[in-house]
Each structure stands twice: as structure tokens, then as C-alpha cells.
Amino acid sequence: MATEKFDRAALEQLVTKRFFFAPSFQIYGGVAGFYDYGPTGCALMNNIISVWRNHFVLEEEMLELDTTIMNTYDVLKTSGHVDKFADWMCKDLKNGEIFRADHLVEAVLEARLQGDREARAAKEGAAAVDAAKQAGEAAKKASKKKKKGTVVAVELPEEERKAYEEILAQIDNYGGPELAQLITKYNIRSPETGNELSMPQEFNLMFESSIGPTGQLKGFLRPETAQGQFLNFKKLLEFNNDKMPFASAQVGRAFRNEISPRSGLLRVREFTMAEIEHYVDPNNKNHAGYQDVKDIVIPLLSKDVQLSGKTNTTEMSIGDAVEKKVIDNQTLGYFIARIYQFLLKIGIKREKLRFRQHMDNEMAHYACDCWDAEIKTSYGWIECVGCADRSAYDLTVHSVRTKEKLVVREQLAEPLTVQKWQVEINKKTFGPKYKRNAKAIEEALLSYTDECFAQLEKDLESKGSSIVEADGQKFEVSKDDVSVKLATVTEHVREYTPNVIEPSFGIGRILYSLLEHSWWVREDDEARNVLSFPAIVAPFKCCILPLSGNSEFEPFVKKFSRALRQNGVSTRTDDSKTSIGRRYSRNDELGIPYAITIDFQTVEDNTVTLRYRDSTKQIRDSFENILKILKEEQ
């Protein structure tokens, strides 16, 4: 299998050679952050998505959508993306090169820690006498010009080493001001030139566009698929016969104008997402399938552990994590377990998978809890799936902005006595006083939260008036115009805004991680690469190999290929003139789990040889029996 030190360059060469994916516009020099998928990459991605659909959409009876990739300015202004969808960037003050600040700090500190480990190892070994001197000289040479990730063997003071480890454990918790302090304190410079860096500044990640010929209607390419689902909530609820809970799902492209796209498919500007929005009663976040998954044990990295400066995971069952409030609720725990099952099913290695909880500074202000499924690759731990409890934020803000009620109405078995704020507007004075603004002010008042109503009552009693914001303007209303009081009412129908649990999958990141986890080299021959994809996601399930170009084999190739495809087994025929061993090797590089060889004995008795990719084991049997084996194993 793969050696301990991962040879990323060799994998990248294989991926390019077999056209899994390649940079877009390559003959024009390419543009960072854009990739085209070849036939093999397309098939692999489509199979991952197919498993995702079966695992989530079909098994969970989700409602799938396909919404537009364009979003209007108003939609994304309301959702908060216009104001808050940003990363922190800094630039080389001399040549203007741009870096994403948190990634730069992380890469530099990781390189320094690696250098420390190498220096300590050298000190303990035979080269102890010269290690410190060589490391010091190397450090001097590297101080002026050091590429990102370049490791220089320099032993760090113990206190500094511990500080670096604690910073890296909570790197995602730092905002712009904190990153600026780290850059200054630890003398972090441009990795390519050694030049000083600017202080971090916010950069909005959305691609701006205009809709229509006048250019007056502003829009953006969507940064996520979620907003299209939220805007259709009312229709989805009606389609679901007003039953709760339920989930919608969508697979599609999203766009983010990354500051400095790097690391292949892991940080790109256009990518495929698969997102689920599970709508749930805020007063009851239990899940009907929870009992089926509560005993699944998962490696968890909680926010408390990270804040202590550590990254040790804890093996814990979903049931224990929910009971101890490590995971906030049953529905969130249920989806974390289902995500875990999905990733293992498609071939992600368990020992390279963990679920990391967001720290408070990472989490959106409205979120209750959020976990990332992180997969370990040669680039480190990579966030591939996010699973967040978004509370009622999205539906609430869109409802307030559009005045469209995005709520669930539930008939109560028993009437419920509750305390509710009641507003009375004096129509005789209100209309004449506020004229064309009257309707907007009334709507603003009626959309108040309980806290706003309490403040309104306090203002009217103490000052005789209060300020109301409507359509971007401020209006003063008096107690002659409006009255408000907290009254006891009997409700026969409960009305509430659902909370949303959102699992969000980055398909490209999962695909790349799977390539790394599946790739290995046969021990007897370094040139023989193998991609051990599970049959369920392999780009092709079976290759058909005629022993030679003899015309007698052609009818069998056509007949067997058609029979396999009709039975749902995707095939690839390799009838090139190279040796059968070389063709086996070539198709191992494509990750094809099975190969059927057609030879002269096939012509005589209709038997074929089936070869297994990983073990290279071969069996001989009739084609009909081989077909049964393939149908059972895929």
C-alpha cells in the first residue's frame, strides 16, 4: 500500500495522465481556481452524487430542488452575504501578491514546527554535532526568501513551540485583528519574497453580476445553494401536505471568488455542492431515526478541546454526545452519524476522518451548533462537510424583508393559553399623519419581536412616543397613534418558524480526498499505480479486454458489453494492441475494480476470466455466472 510519506506529485501526475481533472483554459495559460473534469472524473463525481442521492434523498424521502445559480442583490443582502460573506486577506507590500491571512499564518507556523521536529531528530541522531550549525545557516539563507511550506530545520524554544501548537489548534477562531497581532508578533512575512505584509482586510467572496440589458438589476452568482431552498419553503411545505418535519435537498454549482486559490480541488472558485435543509420544530428537535444511529461511535473534536490548545479527538457514541450536550440535539446528531456512514460507504478511511466542532468565533451569530466532517489529506485536515443548526435565521429574515409568512401552522389537540403582545393602531390619526408611509410603518410594527414590543411599551409609557424604522427611514409614533399591551389569549392553532439543520457537502473536496485515500502503488513495481475505489463509486465497474485484435473476439465484446450495461454495470473496453498485463495496469490506474478477459477459450465455450483489481486474483467461469457475481458485488 502507499508509503508513510505521501507522494502527492506522483498522484497528481496520475490524475493528469488519466484526465480525472485538469486546469480550465489550459492552452490559454489557465486561471487559478477553475478546473475541468475529464471522462473519468465526471464518472467518479456522478457516482459519488448518485450514492449521496440514494443515501439521503431517497432513504430520507427528501424533496429535491434545482434552483437558479443567480441570486439577486436583495436576496443576498437579506441573508447577510453582501455584508458578511468575506475572508481576511493581506498582501505583499512590495509586489502586491495576495494571501488569505489565516492560511498564510497556518502554513508558516506549521513549517516552523516541522523544522523544529527535524532539528530535534537530527540532534538525537548521528549528526548531533553539526545539526544546530547547519540549521542556523539554513535559517539565515531562508529568512530573506522562503517559499510557503518550506521547512528549515531550526529548533524552537519550548515556550514558542507550545504557542504555535495552541495557535494552530484554534486557527479558525481568529478574526482580522487577531491575525494581525499574530503576523506582527511572530514576524510572518511574504513566503515568496520575505517582504512585509499589509494588515488583514476583509474581502467579499461573491462574484458580482448584472441582470438584464440595462445593468440596473444587481445580482451575484450564488455562493451556496441554500437560499434557493429557503425561498421555496412555502411551496415545499404545501407539497409535503403541511407535515413537519421534512427536508429539501439540492445538488448544484456554487461560486466563491477565493482570494488565493491553491491546493487543487480543495480551494476553487467554482465547485459542486450538495446541500440539505431539514426543517424542524424549534421546540422538538428529536428525530425519528435517532435510535438507529445513537450507538455509532465517531471521532469528535469538541470546541473545548480546541480552546485548550489541543487537537485530540474523543471516540464517542452519538447517543452519549447528545446526552452530554457535546452535540446540541438529536437531529444534529442523527445527520452527523448519517454523514459519517456516507463517507465510509464511498471509501473514505475511518482513521483519516474526524468531526470538529466550530468554536464560537467561527460560528454565525444565529447558529446553535456546527460540526465539520474533516478528512485528512496530504494538505492536512480538510473541511469537506459542514453540519449546522442554523436556527430560524434564514426563514425569519426573508419573511421580515418580503412580508411573506414563512411559518408552519399546527392545529393544537388542546387549546393553549399564552401571553402575546397585541398592537392597536388608531386608524383615524395614523393614516392622515403618516400618509403614504402609513402602511410601511404598520408592517414594521406588526413584524416586531417580543423584545421590540416590550421596548415599545416602555417608550410609550415613559416618553409618550417611540422611534420606528421602516423602509430605511425613522418615524416617531406616539401613544395617540399606537397602543401595545401583553395580553392573555387562547390559541387553537400554533404558528411557528421552523429551525433548520443543514448538512452541506463539498463534492470536489470529497472527490480529491477519496483519490488520496484510494491511491497506492504495488510493492513489486513502483510504476504500477492503483486506485482502490469501492465498486459503488468507481468510474467504471468493469473493463472488457479482448486478448488480441482477432476478429473472432468482436461479437463477444459487443455481446458481453451490452449485457453488462443492461444490468447496470458500467463498462470500458480496452482493445488496444499492448500486452494484457499493461492493459490490466492501465485500468488499475482508472480504479476499475473488475476486468473480464476474452480469449480463444471464450470462443469455444463462452467462458471468460474475471480479474479482481486489488488482489489480482483471477477466476474462470461462464459469462452468465460472472455477470451474477458482478451484480451482487457492485
Side-chain angles (χ1 to χ4, degrees):
M1 299 297 282
T3 58
E4 189 176 347
K5 187 171 177 63
F6 191 85
D7 190 350
R8 189 195 303 153
L11 175 61
E12 289 175 351
Q13 185 179 15
L14 172 62
V15 165
T16 302
K17 176 183 172 185
R18 295 305 175 201
F19 196 11
F20 278 85
F21 57 86
S24 303
F25 330 116
Q26 200 162 19
I27 62 173
Y28 280 88
V31 176
F34 295 98
Y35 285 88
D36 297 330
Y37 289 86
T40 323
C42 269
L44 178 60
M45 176 176 283
N46 288 336
N47 289 340
I48 291 171
I49 292 171
S50 177
V51 175
W52 183 88
R53 277 200 172 97
N54 288 330
H55 187 81
F56 290 105
V57 179
L58 294 182
E59 288 188 31
E60 309 281 350
E61 295 186 85
M62 294 177 178
L63 309 179
E64 189 168 2
L65 294 171
D66 184 5
T67 65
T68 175
I69 65 169
M70 286 298 296
N71 276 167
T72 64
Y73 175 88
D74 286 348
V75 169
L76 294 174
K77 177 68 174 175
T78 301
S79 68
H81 285 82
V82 170
D83 299 322
K84 297 177 182 177
F85 194 70
D87 279 335
W88 293 95
M89 70 173 187
C90 54
K91 66 179 179 180
D92 185 311
L93 289 175
K94 289 188 178 179
N95 69 10
E97 185 178 1
I98 301 295
F99 303 95
R100 182 167 152 178
D102 59 333
H103 288 178
L104 178 63
V105 171
E106 184 176 23
V108 170
L109 296 190
E110 282 180 344
R112 290 179 185 177
L113 284 173
Q114 179 60 29
D116 175 73
R117 285 190 288 270
E118 291 184 8
R120 289 171 187 265
K123 192 175 179 180
E124 293 172 3
V129 177
D130 300 319
K133 183 188 288 187
Q134 290 173 356
E137 290 174 358
K140 287 178 183 177
K141 290 177 183 177
S143 64
K144 291 185 179 179
K145 184 172 182 179
K146 183 171 67 174
K147 291 188 177 181
K148 184 177 179 181
T150 298
V151 176
V152 180
V154 178
E155 187 173 344
L156 299 171
E158 187 65 20
E159 186 178 332
E160 189 173 346
R161 183 182 64 81
K162 286 184 177 178
Y164 287 176
E165 289 174 347
E166 289 177 5
I167 290 165
L168 290 173
Q170 49 185 316
I171 189 70
D172 295 315
N173 202 33
Y174 295 119
E178 294 86 359
L179 291 168
Q181 290 175 7
L182 293 174
I183 289 170
T184 302
K185 182 176 181 179
Y186 295 108
N187 193 29
I188 293 172
R189 293 171 170 256
S190 172
E192 296 293 333
T193 64
N195 296 331
E196 289 187 16
L197 298 166
S198 69
M199 288 298 98
Q201 296 178 320
E202 276 195 303
F203 172 74
N204 192 285
L205 298 174
M206 292 192 295
F207 281 101
E208 190 174 333
S209 184
S210 57
I211 303 169
T214 65
Q216 293 179 351
L217 182 55
K218 192 174 178 181
F220 298 92
L221 293 176
R222 66 185 180 193
E224 62 180 17
T225 71
Q227 298 307 316
Q229 298 185 60
F230 298 138
L231 300 185
N232 283 289
F233 169 75
K234 199 170 180 179
K235 298 184 184 72
L236 290 166
L237 180 63
E238 183 180 349
F239 183 86
N240 204 49
N241 299 320
D242 294 324
K243 289 192 298 183
M244 286 283 293
F246 75 93
S248 61
Q250 182 168 200
V251 180
R253 289 296 176 104
F255 305 83
R256 297 182 185 180
N257 195 11
E258 291 288 350
I259 293 168
S260 52
R262 289 184 174 92
S263 309
L265 295 182
L266 300 183
R267 188 153 298 280
V268 292
R269 288 172 166 147
E270 178 185 4
F271 50 94
T272 299
M273 297 185 77
E275 290 192 297
I276 296 164
E277 309 301 335
H278 181 89
Y279 304 97
V280 63
D281 185 339
N283 294 339
N284 180 12
K285 292 185 179 180
N286 292 339
H287 194 284
Y290 177 71
Q291 294 300 320
D292 298 331
V293 302
K294 69 181 180 66
D295 295 325
I296 294 175
V297 176
I298 288 178
L300 301 177
L301 176 57
S302 71
K303 62 183 179 183
D304 293 336
V305 171
Q306 295 170 73
L307 288 170
S308 70
K310 299 176 182 177
T311 56
N312 309 94
T313 58
T314 301
E315 295 285 336
M316 187 179 292
S317 72
I318 290 295
D320 285 346
V322 172
E323 186 177 335
K324 295 174 182 177
K325 298 303 284 183
V326 176
I327 296 174
D328 187 71
N329 57 75
Q330 280 192 17
T331 298
L332 189 61
Y334 174 80
F335 277 106
I336 288 172
R338 293 288 288 155
I339 292 164
Y340 172 81
Q341 290 175 323
F342 165 74
L343 292 173
L344 295 188
K345 184 186 293 186
I346 64 170
I348 296 301
K349 292 181 178 178
R350 189 191 188 280
E351 65 271 20
K352 294 184 178 182
L353 174 63
R354 72 182 185 190
F355 284 80
R356 186 185 70 83
Q357 188 175 29
H358 278 211
M359 291 171 281
D360 292 340
N361 197 43
E362 286 181 86
M363 217 156 35
H365 64 276
Y366 52 79
C368 300
D369 195 9
C370 183
W371 293 79
D372 288 339
E374 295 186 333
I375 301 174
K376 191 169 188 180
T377 71
S378 61
Y379 291 99
W381 288 99
I382 303 300
E383 170 201 343
C384 292
V385 188
C387 192
D389 185 335
R390 295 177 69 122
S391 69
Y393 174 79
D394 298 278
L395 295 179
T396 300
V397 294
H398 287 305
S399 182
V400 170
R401 174 66 179 82
T402 62
K403 309 300 185 288
E404 186 76 45
K405 296 188 84 171
L406 302 177
V407 297
V408 175
R409 292 175 60 82
E410 184 181 83
Q411 191 71 36
L412 296 172
E414 296 289 336
L416 193 64
T417 302
V418 296
Q419 296 280 302
K420 289 194 78 170
W421 288 98
Q422 293 188 327
V423 181
E424 288 187 15
I425 292 173
N426 186 347
K427 298 290 186 182
K428 290 182 180 179
T429 63
F430 202 81
K433 182 175 180 179
Y434 299 107
K435 299 181 178 150
R436 59 193 179 95
N437 295 311
K439 185 178 180 183
I441 298 170
E442 182 177 351
E443 288 176 346
L445 285 166
L446 294 176
S447 68
Y448 268 16
T449 62
D450 287 349
E451 291 80 6
C452 293
F453 280 128
Q455 186 62 47
L456 176 62
E457 182 187 46
K458 183 179 177 182
D459 289 346
L460 292 176
E461 287 180 357
S462 62
K463 298 185 291 187
S465 66
S466 184
I467 301 297
V468 178
E469 291 191 25
D471 286 347
Q473 300 180 65
K474 293 183 178 180
F475 301 91
E476 184 178 24
V477 295
S478 72
K479 59 184 179 182
D480 295 328
D481 308 316
V482 177
S483 63
V484 60
K485 63 179 179 180
L486 191 60
T488 301
V489 297
T490 301
E491 289 186 338
H492 296 273
V493 175
R494 178 183 169 224
E495 188 175 278
Y496 66 89
T497 304
N499 280 199
V500 176
I501 310 293
E502 180 193 69
S504 177
F505 299 73
I507 300 298
R509 289 184 172 193
I510 293 171
L511 184 149
Y512 177 77
S513 302
L514 179 59
L515 283 167
E516 281 207 7
H517 289 202
S518 301
W519 175 65
W520 55 286
V521 177
R522 296 202 188 276
E523 292 180 3
D524 55 342
D525 188 349
E526 289 185 5
R528 297 186 65 186
N529 295 282
V530 183
L531 286 168
S532 291
F533 299 128
I536 197 170
V537 295
F540 308 97
K541 302 297 185 291
C542 181
C543 61
I544 296 178
L545 308 174
L547 189 63
S548 68
N550 193 302
S551 59
E552 291 185 77
F553 300 150
E554 289 181 12
F556 292 93
V557 171
K558 291 179 181 177
K559 174 184 173 184
F560 295 162
S561 179
R562 185 184 302 112
L564 286 164
R565 290 196 300 270
Q566 287 175 344
N567 282 275
V569 180
S570 58
T571 65
R572 182 177 189 268
T573 301
D574 188 346
D575 55 4
S576 58
K577 295 180 181 179
T578 55
S579 69
I580 195 71
R582 188 175 291 275
R583 281 185 281 163
Y584 279 146
S585 180
R586 185 160 58 199
N587 288 287
D588 288 347
E589 291 182 347
L590 295 173
I592 303 175
Y594 309 106
I596 289 177
T597 305
I598 297 169
D599 54 23
F600 291 104
Q601 190 175 340
T602 309
V603 178
E604 294 178 10
D605 60 12
N606 207 48
T607 61
V608 294
T609 298
L610 177 68
R611 175 187 181 267
Y612 290 85
R613 174 197 61 211
D614 294 351
S615 67
T616 70
K617 173 187 171 185
Q618 298 187 15
I619 60 173
R620 187 90 191 184
D621 208 334
S622 67
F623 174 75
E624 289 72 22
N625 286 338
I626 295 296
L627 178 59
K628 288 179 184 176
I629 292 172
L630 295 183
K631 287 171 67 177
E632 289 171 1
E633 294 190 5
Q634 69 168 326

